[in-house]
Structure formats: C-alpha cells, structure tokens
Amino acid sequence: MSTNADRRVALLTLGCARNEVDSEELAARLADGGWSVTTDGNDAAVVLVNTCGFVAKAKQDSIDTLLAAADTGAKVVATGCLAERYGQELASELPEAHAVLGFDHYPDMAARLDAILAGETISSHVPRDRRTLLPITPVERRTAQVVTPGHLPAHLRGVLRQRLDSGPVAPLKLASGCDRRCSFCAIPAFRGAFVSRTPDEVLAEAEWLAANGVRELVLVSENSTSYGKDLGDPRLLEKLLPQLAAVRDIVRVRVSYLQPAETRPGLVEAIATTPGVAPYFDLSFQHSSEPVLRRMRRFGSTGRFLDLLDSVRRLDPAAGARSNVIVGFPGETREDIDELARFLTEARLDAVGVFDYSDEDGTEAATLPDKVPADTVKKRYDWMSALAEELCAQRAGDRVGSIVEVLVDYIDEEVVEGRGAHQAPEVDGSTTLVAGAGPDPATLRPGDFVRAKVTESVGVDLVATPIEMISPAGP
C-alpha cells in the first residue's frame, strides 16, 4: 500500500479551455480517490498529462511534455485527446509513458493510478469512433450511458470540479462533441456526437465556481450554437444566458465557439443585449471563399459573414468579434485567398487566428486532390498572418477614447492587467490599467470589475485609465 506522500499526482493540461474543464473534473475524481493533486511536475509520484490532439503542432507539444515528464523519474500517464485518438499506437511509439488512457478511464482514474504506482501494467486505450456510441437522433442521447468528460454523473455532482487555477475567470462546459462533418476536422471522431449538459447542471456548476472566486464564466463546447437541440429546445442557450448572468458574484458571462451557419438572430440579440453577458462573438468562419467552404463542408460566403457581423453591430457597435481561418486548404486558388483577404479587411475583427492547413489522419480533406504546395501554403500563411495582425491592430486603435468594462485578471508587480468585454482570456488581447483621474490601479485586486477609458493601443492590446469601480472582488 502506498503512503499519502507517494500519492501525489501532477496534472498537466495542454490545448483548449475544454481540456481545462476536463482536467478539473479529473482533479476532483483523483482527490476523491485519495490523491494529492498539483500542477507542478516536480516531486510527483505520477505525472498525468491531459494531451491535445487537434493539429500537428499541438500533438508535438503533447509528446514533448510527456517526454519531459519522463525525465523527472515519475510514472507518466497520457490521457486526453491525443491519447483518446491514438491509444495503443501512441503507447507503442512512446515507451516512456507507463499508460495511455482514454475517456472511458476517467471515472476510475484514481484506481488506475493506484495500479500504475503499484507497478501493475494497464492495457492502453483502444481507439474507436465515439460518434457510434450515441444514437443518431440527438433527442435520444439523453439516457445513453457514455463517458463524456466534463459531464459529471449525478452521484458526483456534489464534487463538481477541483480548481487548478485561482484566477477570477473559469471555463464552464455547455456541451461536448460535434455533429458537424467539416472535412478538415477529426474532433467528432474522438470527442463523439454532440451532447448538451442540462441547464440545472450548468447553473449548479456556475454557482459553485462563483462561490470559489470566479467572476467571469467562459462557456465552452465544440459548438455552442447547437446547445439544447438534444434537450428538445434549440433556443435553450438564449434562455440560459440571463440565468447565468444573474448568478451571485458573476459579473460577466462569455460565449465561445459559435458556428456562423447556426447563429440565429435570437442568439445574436441575446449575446449582444443581455446585461451581464459580454457582447462578444467567437465565430468560426475558417474561410470566406464559397468554393473553399464547400470543400470544407461548411456554409457561408464573404457576403453572408459580413451580413452576420453587421447584424451584431446594429445591436452593439462596440461588440467584439474574433475568428480563426485556415489557409492552404486543398484546391485553394489565388482568387480564393484574395477573397479571404477581402473579407478580413471588411470584417473589422478584434482577433484572428491563422492556421496553415495540414492533413489530419482520418479526415476527408486528407484524401482530397489538388493539394497546395507546402511553400505556397507557407507564403499564404505568412501573408495572411501579417494582414490579420495589421487589421486587428487597426481595430484596437478604433477603440481609443472609448469606455470599456475591465475585469482585472492579475497584478504583476506594478502592472495591472485585465480584459475588456471584447477580449477573451488567452486567445485575444488584454487591457493594461494605468493611473488617471479615477481609482488608483495600485489599489486594485484580481477579480475587481472596473469601468475605464482607453487612452492607447499597442497592437491588439489596450491601455486604459480606471474611471470607477463597478464591482469589487470578494474577500
């Protein structure tokens, strides 16, 4: 039997905010099983790496993290998306890992780590298409008994999660999986079909997060616009947002991962006008040329996307908007990339993530003809990245002189850093608060919510002076 000192696990999280939620669920499960959970990879008996398997760079980062963990002398366990996606193949290519565990291992992860610590051999995960585990009809999925990370079963709802970050913002999972069939994306195959969490479960977790110091909720999923369709109400998110914004001590709710083709006028209005909800639109455009979008098995065009953004700005001219785009998709022509450049120039987005296309195992796009040469992909990536950086800096400059509501995220010596409503954590710019006529930034604390005037822009980042306190952080 191992001692308490032996049962220390370092939980390292890579990838997106959805993975952060999954890690905090794992942390709660492990703590409930008697493990001491930390995020420090040193002096741990086991290092559990929640990997990302989205694109080539993310996969390599996951492997590098696993190899670095092995150098500490701890037992190393891979879980998360890369482990779920490749399972035994990853185990055979990475002998440094003592186990490769998938999502189905999450409910008894503490017992699995006990066995690994005791020197037992755990069979590695065998990958399967998780879409096949749930009924095709969304409304029939509610009663299916399938392990879905971030969806705690009823007997564990009292545990919820164990926070691994003490900051004032936290992701909150609305749903998991995806029913879309984008030709470049492998996520549905290893994350499964779309499943919503019930509103009462989401609200209960929101209240728990607020009681644990969270001030801003970031709603995450693979596709937030689909929320509720499997619960019999495709407009459920519009109804849930005011309830989340009304949770005690929550000052801001932010929605992420919107699909443009599913973004209904009612949802646009709810996000743009509901008090306490950030007027922020994280829209997954991916491209704007119709021929490329069709090959991607997506819908839309430059005109339709600009109309969507216009509908947002008619409700709130200062609303934030961001997106990701892919360049170099098979068959993409110079005319297509010029059309994408035209769209970005007219869209006035606050942030744009640019990705260079690469084949993903098991996707339709990997089999498409007319691959764009690698050197051309790089040139287009460099050009589009530079254009996006310039355009987003111009958009930030347009905000000079405006009033923004800033949540203070952290204070590093004399630097007070926060975010306006148009700035999501990690992926967008930030706002630095400096002394002016209002409250002294030196008196602020993480979690304070202040109104400020923008005095300067630096790239996508803003500099602002506080005007007044809207809501102070709790004790």
Side-chain angles (χ1 to χ4, degrees), residues 33-45:
W35 283 83
S36 174
V37 183
T38 178
T39 56
D40 184 354
N42 297 316
D43 301 322

Side-chain angles (χ1 to χ4, degrees), residues 252 396 399-400 402 404-423 428-436 439-442 444 448 450-467:
R252 190 157 65 199
R399 295 187 182 276
V400 174
S402 68
V404 293
E405 294 182 348
V406 178
L407 178 69
V408 178
D409 276 342
Y410 64 90
I411 298 173
D412 183 8
E413 296 180 351
E414 297 182 357
V415 177
V416 180
E417 203 78 20
R419 289 172 297 100
H422 68 288
Q423 297 169 320
D428 298 336
S430 63
T431 299
T432 301
L433 296 174
V434 298
D440 184 355
L444 298 176
D448 284 341
V450 302
R451 189 169 285 111
K453 183 173 183 178
V454 180
T455 59
E456 183 183 356
S457 66
V458 182
V460 297
D461 300 322
L462 303 179
V463 178
T465 59
I467 297 173

Side-chain angles (χ1 to χ4, degrees), residues 354-377:
V354 181
F355 292 85
D356 50 340
Y357 172 81
S358 62
D359 287 339
E360 282 296 313
D361 298 335
T363 63
E364 179 187 356
T367 67
L368 291 178
D370 302 321
K371 292 290 195 301
V372 179
D375 59 339
T376 302
V377 173

Side-chain angles (χ1 to χ4, degrees), residues 299-441:
F299 301 94
S301 65
T302 293
R304 290 181 182 179
F305 293 160
L306 290 175
D307 286 345
L308 175 56
L309 290 169
D310 284 345
S311 73
V312 167
R313 289 166 179 150
R314 281 196 297 271
L315 293 167
D316 186 343
R322 80 164 333 268
S323 191
N324 296 318
V325 298
I326 300 172
V327 299
F329 192 80
E332 182 188 66
T333 64
R334 179 57 194 241
E335 290 74 20
D336 294 325
I337 200 74
D338 285 343
E339 181 68 1
L340 178 58
R342 182 174 80 86
F343 166 67
L344 292 181
T345 301
E346 297 184 27
R348 297 167 55 236
L349 299 172
D350 292 279
V352 179
V354 181
F355 292 85
D356 50 340
Y357 172 81
S358 62
D359 287 339
E360 282 296 313
D361 298 335
T363 63
E364 179 187 356
T367 67
L368 291 178
D370 302 321
K371 292 290 195 301
V372 179
D375 59 339
T376 302
V377 173
K378 185 179 186 309
K379 289 177 183 176
R380 292 178 181 177
Y381 171 80
D382 291 343
W383 173 45
M384 201 58 59
S385 296
L387 177 63
E389 182 177 352
E390 177 184 355
L391 293 170
C392 293
Q394 290 175 6
R395 178 63 173 158
D398 292 341
R399 295 187 182 276
V400 174
S402 68
I403 305 300
V404 293
E405 294 182 348
V406 178
L407 178 69
V408 178
D409 276 342
Y410 64 90
I411 298 173
D412 183 8
E413 296 180 351
E414 297 182 357
V415 177
V416 180
E417 203 78 20
R419 289 172 297 100
H422 68 288
Q423 297 169 320
E426 306 295 338
V427 294
D428 298 336
S430 63
T431 299
T432 301
L433 296 174
V434 298
D440 184 355

Side-chain angles (χ1 to χ4, degrees), residues 3-261:
T3 66
N4 287 338
D6 293 330
R7 303 182 76 221
R8 184 170 185 267
V9 54
L11 181 47
L12 309 183
T13 307
L14 301 173
C16 65
R18 301 185 294 275
N19 257 17
E20 294 177 24
V21 176
D22 296 350
S23 284
E24 293 194 349
E25 176 198 327
L26 280 172
R29 292 183 184 276
L30 291 167
D32 193 52
W35 283 83
S36 174
V37 183
T38 178
T39 56
D40 184 354
N42 297 316
D43 301 322
V46 177
V47 177
L48 178 63
V49 182
N50 187 356
T51 60
C52 179
F54 180 42
V55 293
K57 183 180 184 302
K59 295 176 195 174
Q60 189 59 54
D61 288 345
S62 294
I63 291 170
D64 291 344
T65 301
L66 288 162
L67 292 173
D71 290 339
T72 68
K75 304 279 188 180
V76 177
V77 179
T79 191
C81 291
L82 188 69
E84 176 67 34
R85 186 175 179 184
Y86 293 103
Q88 292 176 329
E89 180 184 346
L90 177 63
S92 65
E93 295 182 1
L94 197 71
E96 291 84 356
H98 292 77
V100 175
L101 305 180
F103 298 147
D104 291 332
H105 294 105
Y106 280 32
D108 61 350
M109 187 64 76
R112 300 283 177 167
L113 297 194
D114 283 337
I116 292 166
L117 192 60
E120 298 179 25
T121 299
I122 303 294
S123 297
S124 294
H125 164 66
V126 178
R128 53 182 171 171
D129 189 333
R130 295 192 73 85
R131 291 172 294 191
T132 64
L133 303 182
L134 289 166
I136 293 176
T137 305
V139 295
E140 295 178 357
R141 297 171 187 166
R142 295 178 62 181
T143 58
Q145 300 298 309
V146 176
V147 174
T148 307
H151 296 227
L152 288 173
H155 71 284
L156 283 179
R157 283 183 185 164
V159 179
L160 293 176
R161 355 186 327 196
Q162 177 174 313
R163 293 206 69 199
L164 299 173
D165 180 352
S166 61
V169 60
L172 174 57
K173 187 172 282 192
L174 278 176
S176 292
C178 187
D179 288 341
R180 302 188 71 87
R181 294 294 180 267
C182 302
S183 63
F184 56 84
C185 184
I187 289 175
F190 60 83
R191 274 290 184 176
F194 184 87
V195 181
S196 301
R197 301 178 72 193
T198 60
D200 61 333
E201 188 173 337
V202 174
L203 284 165
E205 189 162 327
E207 291 169 357
W208 179 86
L209 288 166
N212 281 270
V214 171
R215 304 277 277 159
E216 178 177 322
L217 302 171
V218 181
L219 306 183
V220 299
S221 69
E222 275 75 24
N223 178 6
S224 296
T225 37
S226 282
Y227 180 71
K229 72 174 187 179
D230 52 326
L231 301 177
D233 187 354
R235 297 182 179 275
L236 199 53
L237 182 55
E238 299 165 34
K239 301 172 184 177
L240 181 60
L241 285 174
Q243 298 177 68
L244 288 168
V247 171
R248 182 182 176 89
D249 293 327
I250 294 299
V251 296
R252 190 157 65 199
V253 177
R254 184 183 303 276
V255 186
S256 60
Y257 304 107
L258 302 173
Q259 288 290 341

